[in-house]
């Protein structure tokens, strides 16, 4: 596993295992990604031009992987903003709770797999941008 330096969040390149049958990539909680996995969901069949997300979290950490197709993720941690391209099943984007994120430019075949550190809790979402700034503006952990 090789870590790629990234200025706002962690983009990890996971090893691809392959043989004459094809390819296999493994992600293990607390090993290849820095948290225990308690929930898995995937986003697919996203309509053209749709942008999703528009939130940060209080405690949930997440790992995003495009297992098919590609999409982009806009990130804002109150100090820096950037865009990440997810275009390979071996690229894993780690989102910290203080990463405001928006997913966009989904290819028609995109399947975005998300591994989350916590079970679903609607109270864990910060969906108001001003509230996000207020909560994280003095945060020193990035
Ligand atoms: C995130 C990005 C990357 C549930 O009932 N349980 C779940 O575990 C999830 C993830 C969603 N839902 C419900 C809540 C909404 O009624 O599914 C509906 C769609 O969820 P949402 O509008 O939050 O979807 P996105 O694409 O904006 O965000 C999702 C995750 O919710 C979020 O945690 O970080 O993907």
């Amino acid at each position: 596993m090789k870590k790629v330096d990234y200025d706002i969040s962690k983009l990890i390149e996971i090893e691809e295992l392959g043989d004459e049958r094809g390819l296999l990539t493994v992600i293990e909680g607390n090993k290849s990604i820095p948290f225990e996995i308690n929930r898995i969901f995937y986003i697919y069949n996203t309509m053209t031009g749709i942008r999703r997300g528009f939130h940060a979290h209080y405690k949930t950490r997440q790992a995003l992987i495009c297992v098919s197709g590609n999409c982009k993720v806009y990130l804002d941690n109150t100090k820096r903003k950037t865009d990440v391209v997810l275009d390979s099943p071996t690229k894993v984007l780690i989102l910290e709770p203080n990463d405001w994120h928006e997913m966009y430019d989904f290819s028609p075949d995109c399947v975005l797999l998300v591994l989350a550190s916590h079970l679903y809790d609607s109270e864990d979402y910060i969906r108001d941008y001003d509230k996000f700034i207020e909560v994280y503006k003095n945060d020193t952990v990035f």
Side-chain angles (χ1 to χ4, degrees), residues 53-69:
F54 298 94
H55 61 259
H57 291 273
Y58 287 104
K59 60 183 183 199
T60 300
R61 302 177 80 189
Q62 298 185 111
L64 273 57
I65 309 119
C66 250
V67 291
S68 167

Side-chain angles (χ1 to χ4, degrees), residues 39 41 43 52-55 57 60 62 64 95 101 103 112 114 120 125 127:
R39 181 166 50 108
F41 59 95
I43 295 169
R52 312 183 57 126
F54 298 94
H55 61 259
H57 291 273
T60 300
Q62 298 185 111
L64 273 57
L95 296 186
H101 50 282
M103 301 84 76
L112 179 62
V114 183
Y120 180 68
Y125 286 67
R127 293 191 182 274

Side-chain angles (χ1 to χ4, degrees), residues 7-125:
D7 70 337
I8 192 164
S9 202
K10 284 180 278 291
L11 192 57
I12 298 172
E13 187 74 38
I14 302 281
E15 190 184 354
E16 197 172 62
L17 307 174
D19 57 27
E20 64 285 355
R21 297 169 299 173
L23 300 170
L24 186 155
T25 296
V26 187
I27 297 172
E28 294 176 292
N30 278 329
K31 199 170 168 190
S32 33
I33 59 170
F35 56 82
E36 188 184 328
I37 300 161
N38 278 299
R39 181 166 50 108
I40 297 172
F41 59 95
Y42 31 97
I43 295 169
Y44 54 103
N45 278 357
T46 307
M47 298 299 128
T48 306
I50 287 295
R51 209 167 167 107
R52 312 183 57 126
F54 298 94
H55 61 259
H57 291 273
Y58 287 104
K59 60 183 183 199
T60 300
R61 302 177 80 189
Q62 298 185 111
L64 273 57
I65 309 119
C66 250
V67 291
S68 167
N70 57 79
C71 72
K72 295 183 185 134
V73 186
Y74 167 76
L75 297 171
D76 173 350
N77 68 9
T78 76
K79 306 286 183 292
R80 287 169 293 197
K81 303 172 182 15
T82 196
D83 293 88
V84 181
V85 179
L86 292 179
D87 56 2
S88 159
T90 60
K91 263 191 198 177
V92 181
L93 178 64
I94 305 295
L95 296 186
E96 299 299 340
N98 63 357
D99 285 320
W100 178 274
H101 50 282
E102 299 170 19
M103 301 84 76
Y104 67 102
D105 272 4
F106 289 84
S107 63
D109 59 343
C110 180
V111 179
L112 179 62
L113 176 68
V114 183
L115 314 175
S117 61
H118 289 74
L119 299 181
Y120 180 68
D121 175 7
S122 60
E123 298 294 309
D124 186 53
Y125 286 67

